[in-house]
């Protein structure tokens, strides 16, 4: 699964002016919850085969199902069976026999179906249970997580067709244990079963499920029954269905079907969105020494999806953010997500984590898969950038070097496992292990793990044993440190030179409760025009390393391969960073140097930023642009021609937009023509920069240019328009904000809600204020954003109410009355949010 976490960044940035606010934080887990050791579920019965026959009641949002589930005792004889069945009406439970079905006694309680079998079965005997049932997912009271915002298993999207802007769809989401909301099963990851699903749907709809479409039968009532068969076993949470008006674009890999299911509007761009999939399949197959193990691979895009994407076996389901036109793709794609879900077909589907405690065996690997794909596709710089971003994502979620254990057997809720430890940290731990082990041994070990546990379940110890068998080395110390203990090192590193010796002092400063780490580190010493490479071993809280060097080093490059999963604070000075950017130019070294220059604001560093304008990485070119000091005449003279060239011709739209914005900051009217031309670009990002830039140079002309844009473009640059209207808070602009608040999805609302508030604060019409505050409140309720926004907006509203009251005291007449009315409205809105 690829997560998509909501953030409040747009809102926070836009309301900081009225008071300090902080991002929503997850409350601390109670120690008593963490005292429970989360064992792998005991197997009493094993799933063998699951056959489903389902149809749908769109009006009621029900699934009417018939199930034939075949099982056998795992080891010990048993005369009972317990199935997970969430929020269902159970109509029939019977044993399937050669002479017909025999009703069985059962108790349905607390989302569990307790069945008494007709006799005691041994593990040499299979038996099949028939169940007739109705699933009612919309009546199920369940909670999701930060990664998966809902957990009702089966979703009806616009089933009555009342929303003309949204297609009618049905789709499922099984992870973690939600498949049992639409069919009775043993809903645990350590179960594996083959499957057959027959779906009866309106004949106009396309269906998708796991495995192969084996038959399509038209029915007399205008419906069609599609049967999908999965002949290889997989876990119940990976079962899937998707039903809707999808257009299929066909591709292949080694003769296997590779299909892309998209809404008709986006079908023309299917190959631009997903077209690298066959090459990804080839790369992963060759890298792992195990060819893609399933009979087909499909990717479908669903509306209102509750996460980023889900790696259902043979059939990945994506959220709508991946569905883009060719114009949208100019500003970036979701290739990392596509790679992530595909790598899961090996790590997660072919071999599945045996419990949620071992989620690292699924998610750390899929995130690692993203990293190595970027390297294969776009080169080492792209690979290094990807893992640098993973590391920073993990570190940003920690404090004092503390974080949960990776292979975690104590947690409050299984959903808590879907965090930056299981994903980001785990991926860079794997990369560091690859670095230590060597690529050949590492990938042979992964092949050993996969083939040994094929179509079964795995855990971290099995990975370790595979690596030990391949390499002949005991990897327990590495696994004990990184998998079975938490946290990361924070290293204070001081460099010194005296008496022809370069000295490196290393102190581990992470919290004392966090373990002391053992870290093999490569060091390059650049001195006298030479590079001296050394290897050191850090294994205590404080150590000193000395090396004979004839002259003072220009740079000591600590952790050359940048594989330390932790933080590094050193005493390098400006000259070291300048040398580093030019002479030790890994991605991490370059971004670190640029960030130092931007923070220090040293004039001497500006030359490095000028060089950064030609950096091979687009994001570092954009970062260098941002850091340039154009108030310095010398830098201005050198930078302006380059910036103009970048604004016109750079292939990276982030760089083009950054250059346009930087030139607009000069206030030079000579760039007005560039701004106007930018508003006619194909890239939405460049158009947004042009509109914003024109607003700085010629405000009225920016509004004129904005009026000439088509509605599609306006929709895509909504955040820029929302910012522009703050300084032009006319009553008629309220409709723009209202439309997004009323119809926008979560990301769209987050992108403008802060500006909406600022517009309402700047506007002087109480009628507009009242309408706008109501729209914001309804958006919060519609999208269930209370936990993210109520506290922040309440604070902002209260401060605005006070400000309006103060203004009213020095006003008179209609203006005074309007200000007082607005103050009342903001105060009431703040109070209403505070109650929820």
């Amino acid at each position: 699964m690829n997560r998509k976490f909501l953030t409040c960044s747009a809102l926070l940035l836009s309301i900081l002016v009225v008071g300090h606010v902080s991002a929503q934080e997850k409350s601390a887990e109670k120690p008593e919850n963490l005292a429970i050791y989360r064992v792998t579920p005991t197997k009493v019965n094993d799933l063998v085969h699951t056959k489903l026959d389902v149809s749908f009641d769109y009006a009621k949002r029900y699934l009417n199902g018939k199930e034939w589930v075949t099982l056998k005792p795992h080891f010990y004889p048993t005369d009972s069976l317990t199935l997970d069945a969430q929020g269902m009406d159970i109509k029939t439970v019977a044993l399937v026999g050669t002479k017909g079905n025999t009703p069985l006694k059962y108790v349905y309680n607390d989302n569990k179906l307790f069945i008494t079998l007709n006799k005691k079965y041994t593990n040499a005997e299979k038996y099949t249970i028939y169940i007739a049932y109705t699933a009612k997912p919309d009546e199920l009271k369940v909670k999701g997580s930060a990664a998966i915002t809902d957990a009702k298993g089966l979703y009806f999207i616009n089933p009555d067709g009342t929303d003309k802007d949204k297609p009618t769809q049905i789709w499922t989401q099984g992870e973690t244990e939600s498949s049992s909301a639409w069919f009775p099963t043993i809903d645990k990851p350590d179960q594996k079963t083959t499957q057959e699903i027959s779906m009866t749907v309106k004949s106009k709809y396309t269906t998708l499920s796991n495995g192969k479409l084996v038959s399509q039968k038209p029915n007399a009532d205008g419906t069609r029954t599609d049967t999908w068969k999965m002949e290889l076993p997989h876990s119940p949470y990976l079962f899937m269905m998707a039903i809707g008006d999808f257009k299929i674009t066909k591709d292949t890999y080694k003769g296997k079907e590779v299909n892309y299911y998209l809404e008709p509007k986006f079908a023309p761009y299917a190959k631009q969105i997903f077209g690298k999939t066959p090459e990804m399949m080839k790369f992963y197959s060759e890298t792992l020494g195990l060819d893609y193990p399933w009979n087909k691979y499909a990717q479908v895009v669903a509306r209102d999806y509750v996460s980023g994407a889900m790696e259902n076996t043979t059939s990945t389901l994506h959220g709508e953010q991946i569905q883009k036109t060719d114009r949208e793709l100019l500003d970036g794609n979701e290739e990392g997500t596509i790679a992530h879900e595909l790598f899961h077909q090996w790590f997660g589907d072919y071999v599945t984590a045996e419990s949620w405690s071992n989620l690292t065996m699924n998610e750390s690997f899929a995130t690692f898969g993203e990293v190595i794909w970027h390297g294969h596709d776009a080169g080492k710089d792209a690979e290094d950038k990807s893992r640098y971003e993973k590391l920073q994502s993990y570190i940003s979620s920690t404090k004092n070097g503390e974080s949960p254990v990776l292979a975690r057997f104590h947690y409050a809720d299984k959903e808590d496992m879907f965090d930056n430890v299981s994903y980001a940290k785990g991926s860079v731990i794997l990369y560091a292990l690859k670095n230590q082990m060597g690529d050949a041994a590492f990938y042979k070990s992964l092949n050993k793990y996969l083939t040994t546990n094929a179509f079964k379940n795995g855990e971290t110890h099995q990975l370790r044993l595979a690596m030990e068998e391949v390499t002949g080395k005991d990897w327990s110390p590495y696994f004990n440190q990184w998998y079975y203990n938490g946290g990361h090192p924070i290293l204070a590193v001081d460099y010194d030179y005296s008496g022809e010796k370069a000295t490196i002092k290393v102190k581990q400063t992470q919290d004392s409760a966090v373990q002391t780490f053992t870290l093999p580190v490569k060091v390059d010493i650049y001195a006298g025009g030479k590079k001296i490479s050394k290897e050191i071993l850090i294994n205590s809280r404080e150590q000193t390393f000395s090396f004979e060097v004839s002259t003072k080093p220009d740079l000591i490059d600590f952790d050359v391969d940048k594989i330390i999963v932790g933080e590094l604070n050193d005493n390098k000075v400006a000259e070291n960073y300048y040398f580093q950017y030019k002479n030790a130019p890994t991605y991490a070294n370059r971004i670190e140097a640029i960030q130092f220059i931007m923070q220090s604001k040293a004039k001497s560093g500006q030359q490095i930023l000028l060089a950064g304008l030609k950096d091979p990485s687009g994001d570092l070119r954009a970062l260098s642009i941002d850091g340039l000091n154009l108030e310095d005449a010398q830098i201005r003279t050198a930078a302006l021609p380059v910036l103009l060239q970048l604004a016109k011709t750079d292939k990276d739209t982030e760089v083009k937009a950054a250059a346009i914005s930087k030139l607009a900051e000069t206030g030079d009217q000579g760039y007005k023509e560039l701004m106007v031309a930018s508003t006619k670009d194909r890239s939405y990002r460049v158009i947004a920069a042009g509109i914003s830039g024109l607003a700085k140079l010629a405000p009225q002309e920016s509004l004129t240019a904005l009026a000439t844009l088509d509605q599609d473009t306006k929709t895509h640059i909504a955040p820029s328009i929302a910012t522009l209207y703050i300084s032009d808070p006319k009553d008629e602009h309220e409709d723009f904000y209202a439309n997004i608040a009323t119809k926008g999805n979560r990301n769209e609302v987050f992108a403008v809600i802060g500006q909406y508030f600022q517009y309402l604060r700047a506007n002087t019409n109480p009628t507009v204020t009242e309408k706008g505050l109501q729209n914001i409140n309804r958006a919060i309720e519609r999208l269930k954003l209370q936990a993210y926004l109520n506290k922040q907006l309440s604070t902002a509203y209260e401060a605005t109410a006070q400000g309006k009251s103060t203004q009213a005291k020095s006003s008179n007449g209609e203006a005074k009355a309007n200000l007082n009315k607005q103050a009342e409205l903001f105060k009431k809105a703040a109070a209403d949010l505070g109650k929820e």
Side-chain angles (χ1 to χ4, degrees):
M1 168 165 286
N2 187 277
R3 308 166 307 160
K4 290 285 179 182
F5 288 124
L6 289 168
T7 65
C8 299
S9 56
L11 169 68
L12 300 182
L13 287 172
S14 62
I15 65 176
L16 278 173
V17 292
V18 296
H20 175 73
V21 290
S22 59
Q24 184 78 10
E25 294 182 0
K26 192 165 131 184
S27 58
E29 294 172 339
K30 296 180 180 179
E32 58 266 27
N33 289 337
L34 297 178
I36 302 170
Y37 186 89
R38 305 290 180 173
V39 297
T40 301
T42 299
K43 290 183 176 181
V44 177
N45 288 282
D46 289 341
L47 293 171
V48 176
H49 183 68
T50 304
K51 181 180 178 181
L52 300 171
D53 187 347
V54 302
S55 60
F56 307 93
D57 186 328
Y58 282 76
K60 293 181 178 178
R61 281 73 160 167
Y62 288 174
L63 175 150
N64 295 311
K66 299 174 183 178
E67 176 176 25
W68 297 262
V69 56
T70 302
L71 308 100
K72 69 179 187 65
H74 181 74
F75 183 81
Y76 300 105
T78 185
D79 59 3
S80 64
L81 168 65
T82 301
L83 297 176
D84 300 295
Q86 301 185 57
M88 297 180 180
D89 286 344
I90 304 296
K91 300 173 181 177
T92 304
V93 177
L95 181 75
V96 176
T98 55
K99 297 181 179 180
N101 293 351
T102 304
L104 295 174
K105 293 180 180 179
Y106 68 90
V107 174
Y108 182 49
N109 184 37
D110 195 26
N111 290 332
K112 299 278 187 182
L113 183 57
F114 302 95
I115 302 171
T116 302
L117 302 176
N118 64 318
K119 68 167 192 170
K120 186 168 282 190
Y121 288 82
T122 71
N123 68 351
E125 298 176 286
K126 295 178 184 177
Y127 60 91
T128 300
I129 304 295
Y130 168 75
I131 304 169
Y133 65 97
T134 298
K136 304 177 177 181
D138 280 21
E139 297 174 21
L140 185 62
K141 303 298 182 185
V142 289
K143 70 166 189 166
S145 66
I148 310 163
T149 59
D150 206 327
K152 60 186 181 182
L154 176 67
Y155 297 80
F156 289 82
I157 306 303
N158 194 27
D160 47 15
T162 55
D163 187 341
K164 302 305 179 186
D165 297 323
K166 186 177 293 184
T168 297
Q169 297 176 347
I170 298 174
W171 48 262
T172 61
Q173 166 56 36
E175 194 173 36
T176 46
E177 296 173 8
S178 299
S179 285
S180 52
W182 61 278
F183 65 96
T185 187
I186 303 174
D187 207 351
K188 300 297 178 185
D190 65 342
Q191 291 283 339
K192 296 268 182 167
T193 171
T194 53
Q195 80 179 59
E196 181 178 325
I197 301 180
S198 295
M199 290 175 265
T200 298
V201 301
K202 295 177 183 178
S203 57
K204 65 180 180 179
Y205 290 135
T206 299
T207 70
L208 175 65
S209 187
N210 314 92
K212 184 179 181 180
L213 179 62
V214 295
S215 71
Q216 289 188 299
K217 187 183 81 173
N219 303 314
D221 61 356
T223 64
R224 187 186 71 249
T225 300
D226 290 358
T227 299
W228 292 82
K229 198 167 186 178
M230 183 78 182
E231 296 180 338
L232 296 173
H234 65 145
S235 294
Y237 79 88
L238 296 166
F239 279 40
M240 74 85 69
M241 298 186 296
I243 300 154
D245 182 16
F246 301 115
K247 186 172 176 58
I248 305 172
T249 301
K250 296 187 176 182
D251 214 336
T252 60
Y253 167 71
K254 286 190 172 182
K256 295 182 178 182
E257 287 187 7
V258 178
N259 295 335
Y260 317 126
Y261 291 65
L262 292 154
E263 292 173 34
K265 172 187 173 182
F266 295 95
Y269 316 108
K271 290 289 184 75
Q272 290 171 264
I273 298 167
F274 294 117
K276 290 184 181 179
T277 300
E279 174 57 28
M280 288 180 183
M281 297 170 78
K282 179 176 184 288
F283 168 63
Y284 289 150
S285 295
E286 292 175 351
T287 299
L288 296 171
L290 175 65
D291 202 25
Y292 178 76
W294 312 104
N295 63 350
K296 73 116 187 321
Y297 189 55
Q299 295 177 86
V300 60
V301 182
R303 288 291 189 101
D304 296 350
Y305 184 51
V306 294
S307 189
M310 180 63 208
E311 67 276 9
N312 307 299
T313 315
T314 76
S315 303
T316 286
L317 189 149
H318 290 278
E320 64 196 87
Q321 67 278 352
I322 207 164
Q323 193 164 242
K324 298 181 179 182
T325 65
D326 58 341
R327 283 189 70 187
E328 290 171 313
L329 288 166
L330 292 172
D331 296 329
N333 57 36
E334 300 288 334
E335 198 173 294
T337 299
I338 295 170
H340 180 109
E341 303 309 327
L342 177 59
F343 207 65
H344 266 309
Q345 299 297 316
W346 287 265
F347 288 91
D349 297 4
Y350 188 68
V351 182
T352 307
E354 70 168 9
S355 70
W356 302 119
S357 292
N358 282 286
L359 185 64
T360 179
M361 300 309 297
N362 293 4
E363 296 302 349
S364 299
F365 274 99
T367 310
F368 169 84
E370 293 178 51
V371 174
I372 61 172
W373 164 254
H374 288 307
H376 172 77
D377 182 60
K380 187 176 186 302
D381 219 42
E383 180 168 302
D384 289 350
K385 174 188 174 184
S386 181
R387 65 188 177 96
Y388 175 85
E389 290 173 345
K390 308 299 182 197
L391 177 60
Q392 299 311 310
S393 175
Y394 158 68
I395 288 174
S396 68
S397 66
T398 68
K399 186 177 181 181
N400 300 327
E402 298 177 288
S403 66
V405 176
L406 185 55
R408 200 177 325 162
F409 297 91
H410 296 88
Y411 53 78
D413 189 281
K414 60 186 180 299
E415 305 297 340
D416 298 336
M417 292 298 298
F418 293 80
D419 60 9
N420 260 327
V421 175
S422 295
Y423 287 74
K425 183 186 183 186
S427 72
V428 289
I429 285 172
L430 283 170
Y431 198 97
L433 183 55
K434 179 174 79 74
N435 181 276
Q436 289 188 30
M437 191 179 289
D439 284 12
F442 179 79
Y443 288 120
K444 188 172 182 180
S445 298
L446 299 194
N447 175 272
K448 183 71 178 176
Y449 168 80
L450 289 169
T451 54
T452 301
N453 303 292
F455 305 111
K456 296 188 290 187
N457 296 85
E459 60 170 289
T460 49
H461 284 298
Q462 289 166 305
L463 176 65
R464 174 181 59 81
L465 291 171
M467 290 175 165
E468 291 179 355
E469 185 173 340
V470 168
T471 65
K473 178 180 177 180
D474 187 346
W475 287 97
S476 292
Y478 191 91
F479 277 75
N480 288 339
Q481 177 169 281
W482 291 113
Y483 282 85
Y484 309 125
N485 279 288
H488 63 262
I490 302 177
L491 304 180
V493 182
D494 288 336
Y495 309 113
D496 194 18
Y497 177 77
S498 62
E500 297 189 342
K501 281 191 175 182
T503 302
I504 305 173
K505 294 181 180 180
V506 183
K507 183 177 182 180
Q508 297 192 36
T509 64
Q510 65 271 14
D511 191 275
S512 59
V514 178
Q515 61 177 312
T516 297
F517 288 84
T518 297
L519 306 167
V521 177
K522 295 177 183 177
V523 178
D524 282 348
I525 303 171
Y526 292 81
K530 298 179 180 180
K531 182 176 75 173
I532 304 165
S533 297
K534 298 290 182 180
E535 293 185 13
I536 62 176
L537 182 67
I538 299 169
N539 55 12
S540 63
R541 285 275 168 167
E542 293 190 49
Q543 287 171 272
T544 300
F545 306 90
S546 295
F547 306 98
E548 292 187 4
V549 182
S550 59
T551 184
K552 183 178 181 180
D554 296 299
L555 172 70
I556 297 178
D557 187 12
F558 189 88
D559 185 24
V560 173
D561 296 332
K562 311 306 174 191
I563 62 161
I564 291 177
V565 183
E567 302 171 63
L568 177 65
N569 303 304
D570 58 31
N571 66 339
K572 284 187 292 192
V573 296
E575 287 71 20
N576 301 139
Y577 285 107
Y578 305 161
F579 184 93
Q580 172 176 307
Y581 182 86
K582 295 178 179 178
N583 299 281
T586 60
Y587 178 87
N589 275 346
R590 297 193 334 266
I591 192 171
E592 185 184 67
I594 293 171
Q595 288 172 339
F596 170 83
I597 292 164
M598 293 177 68
Q599 290 166 3
S600 69
K601 298 182 180 179
K603 182 176 180 179
S604 54
Q606 289 289 309
Q607 293 298 325
I608 298 296
L609 295 184
L610 286 173
L613 299 180
K614 298 178 181 178
D615 194 281
S617 179
D619 66 311
L620 297 191
R621 294 199 297 279
L623 192 62
S624 297
I625 290 169
D626 189 45
L628 283 172
N629 178 16
L630 297 186
E631 293 181 5
D632 183 308
Q634 184 181 358
I635 298 302
R636 184 185 181 104
T637 300
L640 290 181
V642 183
L643 289 173
L644 185 58
Q645 190 65 27
L646 293 174
K648 290 180 177 180
T649 64
D650 201 284
K651 294 180 180 179
D652 190 315
T653 61
E654 181 185 7
V655 178
K656 288 185 75 171
I660 290 164
S661 298
K662 195 71 174 181
L663 291 171
E665 288 176 12
T666 66
D668 187 340
Q669 293 293 309
Y671 295 117
K672 194 165 68 171
E673 184 179 336
L674 170 69
M675 303 301 145
V676 173
S678 299
T679 66
K680 299 173 184 176
D681 199 278
R682 291 201 77 231
S683 159
Y684 298 114
R685 179 184 280 155
V686 172
I687 293 169
I691 290 290
S692 298
L694 198 56
K696 291 184 176 73
L697 300 180
Q700 193 54 48
E701 289 185 45
S702 71
L703 295 171
T704 302
L706 182 60
T708 66
L709 300 178
D710 58 61
Q711 189 54 50
D712 172 73
T713 302
K714 289 179 180 177
T715 299
H716 281 86
I717 68 166
S720 293
I721 299 174
T723 301
L724 191 63
Y725 284 164
I726 294 169
S727 57
D728 183 45
K730 293 176 181 175
D731 292 359
E732 58 262 34
H733 294 328
E734 204 281 330
D735 287 343
F736 163 81
Y737 297 101
N739 184 58
I740 298 172
T742 304
K743 299 179 180 179
N745 60 34
R746 285 186 165 203
N747 289 334
E748 290 166 344
V749 169
F750 264 112
V752 304
I753 199 166
Q755 293 95 319
Y756 195 177
F757 154 69
Q758 282 206 12
Y759 161 81
L760 293 175
R761 189 181 62 178
N763 181 273
T764 58
N765 186 342
T767 303
V768 169
T769 306
E770 185 171 20
K771 181 182 175 184
L773 291 172
Q774 288 175 351
N775 286 334
I776 290 175
N777 189 52
R778 287 170 186 155
I780 291 171
E781 291 179 359
R782 177 174 65 88
L783 300 170
K784 299 180 176 64
L785 304 177
Q786 291 88 343
Y788 299 94
L789 296 178
N790 278 18
K791 184 178 178 180
Q792 290 88 343
L793 280 175
S794 180
T795 301
Y797 289 171
E798 189 64 45
T800 302
Q802 293 174 7
K804 294 283 186 182
S805 294
T806 301
Q807 284 181 273
K809 290 176 183 177
S810 57
S811 303
N812 49 55
E814 185 179 359
K816 184 182 185 76
N818 285 344
L819 286 165
N820 280 325
K821 179 62 176 174
Q822 285 185 301
E824 290 174 16
L825 291 167
F826 276 109
K827 189 170 184 177
K828 182 180 183 301
D832 290 343
L833 289 178
K835 294 174 186 175
E836 297 178 16

